[in-house]
Each structure stands twice: as structure tokens, then as C-alpha cells.
Amino acid sequence: MNTRRDFLQKIGASALMLKLGSISAFANVPDQIEQAYEGRVLRVAIMGLGGYGTRVAEAMKACTKAKLVGVISGTPSKIKEWQTKYNIPEKNCYNYDNFDQVKNNPDIDAIYVITPNALHHSQVIRVAKAGKHAICEKPMALNAKEGQEMLDACKKANVKLLVGYRLHFEPRTLEVIRMRNAGDFGKVMFFQGQCGFKIGDPSQWRLNKALAGGGSMMDIGIYAINGARYMVGEEPVWVTAQETKTDPVKFKEGVDETIQFQLGFPSGAVASCLSSYNINYLDRFFMSGDKGYAEMQPSTGYGPIKGRTHNGELTQPTTTHQTIQMDEMATIIFEDKKPVVPVNGEEGLKDLKIIDAIYLAVKTGEKVKLRA
């Protein structure tokens, strides 16, 4: 399909004035012609060529500020497949044993770590030592101690550490945050986050404590934690939590099936959240203030985020989350742009501290205070 730029180039200047009004009205496009991006492009290597790595790679085809240029995998056949599919040169292909050599490759700026949770810590530190910016999938690490060590390594190497919080750039999510900042909801009193589905293959790494670091909390529970923080707009000061396990064969020791947790905020607002690997159709955020409310369902999925407030349906554009995420991360890395909601390592560490507290609350049955 021709772009509007192509169309305008083909018509004469005299016809432009006659046609532009009707074209804009029909296509609902702005009068200003979109300018091609001419800035620096972030050249990215993806580490971990599984399902989500593939999703990111496909989304990056539409990026204007970021480009997939390299791969890191422990599976040679996958490397060959990706080389062909994404036109990746041999010199930009590495395995888990030799990827430290990326330090000698000036054609790669950043490495996106999309591997099992337990590998993030060591791999991000190696990326930092190689002098490359690190983008890491969430959760950033298995616990706050590991997360702090990753932050320290990146700071020491003078490289950025970013976390794959794609929803921090999602237009309808950002509209709810804008409305909250504008006072449209009044005093926020309550947040509810429900994240859950019935997980399949019992042999997958997400149900292996050594690789995942836990169960549902380390996969989808973090969405409710993060969502509570960016929707309420505060950092919690306490947490309580309770675990339910109905299938100890599938969900072995240390792999949580379902956790309910509650958060308290300095303003007096409270959050009630649920994370489950054994309950379907849970993907909903709800926030209530004394002047209005916001409801998002789906709230975290890859498909279009949908939502409404007391003012009606949210109608912001539907985007491919990973495309806008990678373009925005390019501006964060090269231009030091400050997004509305941070995606840096410090943000990832805050979530890890809360996860640590949730697991402690489950173990002790007590309210756990959170440090700033």
C-alpha cells in the first residue's frame, strides 16, 4: 500500500491544495506530512530465540528507531533460521559461551535478554562487561539482591539497563495515568489487579523453580504489582499475601500456583491483587477514586488493551506494544528521554523488592513493611 508521502510526491503542487482537504478528511490523517526518521538507530541483538523473542523480532520490523541486527542462542538451528529470516550477518551471531566477544563488535549497541528468569542476572552482567546496553525481560532477576548487582554492573560499565515494560508505552494505559495526574479520579482509594491463566505443559521452564524462581508471581503476578504502582501513582509501604495450592504435583515446592496479595500506599489507598497459573480469564485492572474510576480488560495482554472510565470508553490508538517499546527505548538510550513511567533498572528493582516481600508474607503470614 502506498504511503501518504508517496501519494503527495506523485501529485502536482497545484492539485495538492485541491486534494489535501478531502484526503485528510477521508483518511483521518494530520495536515502535516510525517517526516522520515533521520536520527541514530538502535542496533539490537536478541538473546533467547523462543516465543517471546520471536514476537519482539516480528514487531521490530515496523520500528523506525531500532533494528534487529544480531542473535544469541544455544541452538545452532535457530541461529541459522533467524539469519535467513531476518537477514542477520554471520559476524553478529553468538552462542551463550562466546557472546562476551560482542565487545569487539561495533555493529551492536544493545542486547535484549529474553531468557528464563534465573539467567538474567549473569547474562546482563556479562552484557554490561562487554560494554553494551542491556534490555532485560521482566522480572529483571530472581530477587532484589540480584537486581541490585545488575544495576551496579551496568552503572560501573556506563551502560543503560532497561526492562521490557511494554505497557509503560501503551496509549490507553498512558491515558489513565494522565487522567489520574490531572485529578480526574480524585483521591485514589482502591486498585484491583487480576492476572491469571491455566498454564499447560508441566515440564516447561516456567514451572521449574531453578529457572523461574517461583511460579505465577514471577510470570504474571508482576503485572499486577507494576500496574498497582503506575495506576495508583505511589510506592506501597506494606504487603500481605496468601498462597493457595490445589495441585502440588504440577506446582512443586517453591512454584506458586495462586497467590492473593494486598498492598498499602502512603495515601491510604489499598490494592487487592491475584496471581494464578490455575484460573483462566484473569486480565483486569480496576481503580476507584472519589470522583471516578478506570477499568481495563484486557489490561496486560498482547492483543488490544481495552478500557473505560467514568467518562466512557478509552479510544486511544491500538499499537503493537513491542514496536513502540523498542522505538521508545532507542530514544531513552541515545537521547536520555524520560518516559512517563520509567523502564530503567531502578524500576525493575522496585518490583523485585515487592516480590521478595510477597513471598516473605506468604511464608510468615505477617504484614511485611516495605523500605523506600
Side-chain angles (χ1 to χ4, degrees):
M1 183 175 68
N2 291 336
T3 64
R4 185 167 180 262
R5 175 186 293 274
D6 294 331
F7 176 76
L8 294 178
Q9 288 176 342
K10 291 178 181 178
I11 63 177
S14 60
L16 175 59
M17 296 306 295
L18 295 174
K19 299 283 188 180
L20 190 55
S22 60
I23 293 168
S24 297
F26 176 78
N28 192 27
V29 293
D31 288 339
Q32 182 178 2
I33 302 172
E34 183 182 352
Q35 298 297 313
Y37 177 70
E38 297 179 351
R40 188 175 176 186
V41 173
L42 181 69
R43 299 165 299 176
V44 179
I46 289 179
M47 179 187 296
L49 311 184
Y52 192 70
T54 299
R55 184 179 289 273
V56 172
E58 289 297 303
M60 287 186 69
K61 290 178 178 178
C63 286
T64 57
K65 301 178 182 180
K67 181 181 180 182
L68 175 62
V69 300
V71 293
I72 302 167
S73 174
T75 308
S77 61
K78 284 188 178 181
I79 293 176
K80 291 297 183 184
E81 178 186 338
W82 279 51
Q83 275 189 272
T84 302
K85 188 173 184 179
Y86 300 107
N87 193 30
I88 295 172
E90 181 70 30
K91 67 181 181 64
N92 290 354
C93 297
Y94 301 88
N95 58 47
Y96 295 133
D97 294 326
N98 69 11
F99 79 82
D100 306 271
Q101 296 305 312
V102 74
K103 66 182 179 182
N104 301 316
N105 190 335
D107 295 332
I108 295 175
D109 302 308
I111 294 176
Y112 195 162
V113 177
I114 311 178
T115 55
N117 304 337
L119 305 180
H120 295 176
H121 174 259
S122 62
Q123 290 172 341
V124 165
I125 289 175
R126 288 172 66 185
V127 169
K129 288 181 178 179
K132 305 299 180 181
H133 300 292
I135 304 171
C136 184
E137 254 314 296
K138 57 194 176 299
M140 189 173 80
L142 295 186
N143 51 57
K145 178 179 181 294
E146 286 190 356
Q148 186 62 61
E149 291 170 355
M150 294 158 69
L151 265 174
D152 293 344
C154 288
K155 287 179 180 178
K156 182 177 180 181
N158 196 30
V159 296
K160 283 188 167 62
L161 171 57
L162 305 180
V163 185
Y165 290 116
R166 56 188 168 82
L167 294 170
H168 292 197
F169 308 108
E170 197 282 316
R172 291 168 194 170
T173 299
L174 289 174
E175 174 60 11
V176 171
I177 294 170
R178 184 200 67 76
M179 291 178 67
R180 186 209 65 225
N181 288 338
D184 290 8
F185 305 117
K187 178 177 173 59
V188 175
M189 304 297 295
F190 176 71
F191 171 84
Q192 184 180 55
Q194 300 173 335
C195 300
F197 65 93
K198 284 198 172 187
I199 197 166
D201 181 8
S203 66
Q204 63 181 284
W205 71 262
R206 288 178 178 84
L207 296 178
N208 181 334
K209 187 180 187 301
L211 289 175
S216 68
M217 182 58 59
M218 299 297 288
D219 182 14
I220 52 174
I222 192 172
Y223 284 104
I225 294 170
N226 197 247
R229 292 176 50 238
Y230 64 63
M231 289 189 72
V232 174
E234 300 179 54
E235 295 301 326
V237 293
W238 58 259
V239 60
T240 54
Q242 308 82 37
E243 180 179 4
T244 301
K245 185 170 293 192
T246 64
D247 188 348
V249 176
K250 186 173 186 178
F251 304 101
K252 295 178 175 59
E253 181 68 25
V255 179
D256 47 284
E257 175 187 326
T258 299
I259 291 182
Q260 299 176 77
F261 61 95
Q262 302 77 40
L263 305 171
F265 296 88
S267 66
V270 293
S272 176
C273 302
L274 178 66
S275 168
S276 181
Y277 264 165
N278 203 27
I279 306 174
N280 273 334
Y281 312 117
L282 293 181
D283 187 5
R284 177 178 178 267
F285 287 171
F286 177 80
M287 181 175 68
S288 178
D290 58 11
K291 293 182 180 179
Y293 73 90
E295 180 181 32
M296 309 187 77
Q297 186 176 10
S299 57
T300 66
Y302 300 140
I305 301 300
K306 296 182 180 180
R308 60 193 175 100
T309 73
H310 56 283
N311 290 334
E313 184 180 358
L314 295 170
T315 58
Q316 285 66 37
T318 296
T319 62
T320 300
H321 301 170
Q322 295 81 8
T323 302
I324 192 169
Q325 170 194 308
M326 297 308 296
D327 273 344
E328 287 294 312
M329 284 184 167
T331 64
I332 292 169
I333 288 173
F334 291 142
E335 302 170 24
D336 203 29
K337 181 178 178 180
K338 306 298 182 186
V340 173
V341 186
V343 293
N344 54 27
E346 287 81 3
E347 179 80 358
L349 183 60
K350 290 176 181 178
D351 282 343
L352 290 174
K353 289 179 178 179
I354 297 171
I355 289 176
D356 285 352
I358 288 171
Y359 282 134
L360 180 59
V362 165
K363 182 178 180 180
T364 64
E366 298 178 354
K367 178 185 286 188
V368 177
K369 291 184 178 181
L370 294 164
R371 298 178 182 177

